[in-house]
Amino acid sequence: MIPFDAGAPGSLAAAGEADDGAPADPFALLAAWLPGWDGAPLGPMTLATIGRDGYPAARTVLLSGFDGERFFFHTDARSAKAAELATNPRAAATLVWPEAGRQLVVTGDVERLTASDAAAAYSHRTRYLQVLAWANDAEMAQHSLAERRERWRAFDAAHPPGMLAPPPHWAGYALAPVRISFWLADDAGPSHRLAYERDGGRWALAALPG
Ligand SMILES: Cc1cc2nc3c(=O)[nH]c(=O)nc-3n(C[C@H](O)[C@H](O)[C@H](O)COP(=O)(O)O)c2cc1C
């Protein structure tokens, strides 16, 4: 679960705090919603890219980290999303905290991370996810369940814990927002959005209906 500073579920205090005291800088609000990244993945988010056929393409990925300004995620460089980002380095991500009545939508520009940055994130993945990054390709997907499990077992046995380096196709990306919207539930009134848009060197803020 992604840590957040939410107050009580559906907390009006939490909503009002962000609403009436909306900071000019959305990163101040992001720091409150996504505090304390220790290097481990923060939780799932929906990542939307621009499909090569023009249709949107969406899937869940782990939010690998947040450095105060950029959202990191990791994937297989041979994946559809990697090809889409190579063509169109733009994406949107949504995170939702239903119990707290919060949704975050971030739209922006995507850059590939260096291999050493990506390797640091790999070291913070669980053993299962480290093996998955090696043993989850198009060729593997063609085999039966029994065969996939056998290949997994053999790979796992041949690579003791602590010995795995990221595969060559392990790729990290940073999403730098140009638009950030904070959606807030309110159990005594309408839901509400604080919508920030980068405007040159500053952020424009609009209050929008939920
Ligand atoms: C909870 C959850 C977390 C996931 N995390 C990742 C991830 O961090 N990176 C990744 O490449 N795929 C992740 N996946 C798998 C993707 O949703 C997707 O199926 C895969 O990356 C292929 O996507 P693409 O063909 O659109 O590139 C995750 C799936 C789920 C359900």
Side-chain angles (χ1 to χ4, degrees), residues 109-189:
D109 299 305
V110 177
E111 275 186 6
R112 181 102 179 239
L113 296 172
T114 64
S116 67
D117 281 346
Y122 184 83
S123 72
H124 279 96
R125 294 269 161 131
T126 60
R127 166 75 182 174
Y128 175 86
L129 291 176
Q130 289 186 349
V131 173
L132 191 69
W134 277 98
N136 195 22
D137 59 14
E139 199 257 326
M140 177 76 119
Q142 307 317 311
H143 294 293
S144 67
L145 174 63
E147 178 65 16
R148 295 198 308 273
R149 286 182 167 173
E150 176 49 30
R151 286 174 181 235
W152 181 283
R153 192 205 56 73
F155 183 93
D156 196 25
H159 299 86
M163 298 291 285
L164 272 182
H169 50 264
W170 173 254
Y173 294 87
L175 169 60
V178 297
R179 289 201 289 269
I180 307 172
S181 106
F182 299 84
W183 180 95
L184 299 144
D186 184 349
D187 54 16

Side-chain angles (χ1 to χ4, degrees), residues 13-159:
E17 217 171 273
D19 192 344
D20 291 338
D25 178 0
F27 294 129
L29 208 44
L30 280 177
W33 281 34
L34 292 166
W37 176 45
D38 63 4
L42 290 162
M45 66 179 184
T46 302
L47 176 76
T49 47
I50 302 164
R52 281 172 292 174
D53 58 4
Y55 287 101
R59 81 290 285 160
T60 309
V61 294
L62 290 178
L63 173 58
S64 303
F66 171 66
D67 70 356
E69 296 195 351
R70 296 177 305 160
F71 294 76
F72 303 121
F73 57 92
H74 292 77
T75 192
D76 189 315
R78 303 164 298 182
S79 66
K81 72 181 88 48
E84 289 157 4
L85 289 168
T87 306
N88 254 315
R90 292 177 169 183
T94 64
L95 293 101
V96 65
W97 297 268
E99 314 79 25
R102 288 182 174 186
Q103 175 187 226
L104 179 65
V105 183
V106 181
T107 306
D109 299 305
V110 177
E111 275 186 6
R112 181 102 179 239
L113 296 172
T114 64
S116 67
D117 281 346
Y122 184 83
S123 72
H124 279 96
R125 294 269 161 131
T126 60
R127 166 75 182 174
Y128 175 86
L129 291 176
Q130 289 186 349
V131 173
L132 191 69
W134 277 98
N136 195 22
D137 59 14
E139 199 257 326
M140 177 76 119
Q142 307 317 311
H143 294 293
S144 67
L145 174 63
E147 178 65 16
R148 295 198 308 273
R149 286 182 167 173
E150 176 49 30
R151 286 174 181 235
W152 181 283
R153 192 205 56 73
F155 183 93
D156 196 25
H159 299 86

